[in-house]
Amino acid sequence: MKTAARRARLTWKPYAVGAVVAAALLATTACEPGGSDAADEPAPASPSATASRATPPAPDDASDVPTDGDDSAGTDLCTMGDLTFAASNYGERGEPVRHIMVVATNESDKECDIQNAPEIMLGDAQGPAPVMQGSEAGEPFTLAPGQEAYAGVLTMGGHQHTYEVTFMTLTLGSPGGEAEAEEPVELKMPTEGSFQADDGQRVTSWQPTEGLAMRPVTQS
């Protein structure tokens, strides 16, 4: 009887030691990084997945995307029908006509661009007055309704072949070659009667101010 009880106690002791060791191992594993608690946490999202979520969806219809207006057409060039013209003697009253100021006024109800120089014929000249050197056309500029552009005319440049001018004509020509030249109009004479011109006559390009147009003429 005593022998059987002793064997039972000896058999239980190894099982008890084993159970204690197993419990210690489980506790150690649970405390280590990468244990079951860490494994249960969700994995962080990859950068590509985050970027794809941040990108807004493309519109279904391209017409929903706003676009800039088409300004490629720009402002139309002025035509003879848009403008009225006047010529005046740019000198002292009673003095011979040597400097003439030509004014073009936009009489239309829309803006238009004016550029280059007017083609002005002084009487029976062989062709339009050449453009004065240093007064070649720059960029076109816009005339609003009622605004004016200016050009200057030098009637005598000190050359030979003087002749009498009894009429004057003007046309815009064909600025840039976009269209055929329009028919010229006759300008009212800047003085009573007639005036003298020679083959040294010159004209300036259209300018937005009187001073820019007439300064090259009066300094010649």
Side-chain angles (χ1 to χ4, degrees), residues 127-147:
V131 178
M132 180 174 289
Q133 186 174 4
S135 175
E136 291 79 2
E139 292 295 321
F141 59 94
T142 301
L143 293 181
Q147 282 192 321

Side-chain angles (χ1 to χ4, degrees), residues 83 103-107 111-112 141-150:
L83 308 173
V103 181
T105 305
N106 182 3
E107 297 290 354
E111 293 184 340
C112 63
F141 59 94
T142 301
L143 293 181
Q147 282 192 321
E148 298 174 337
Y150 304 85

Side-chain angles (χ1 to χ4, degrees), residues 24-35:
L25 288 174
L26 287 174
T28 305
T29 304
C31 295
E32 290 179 355

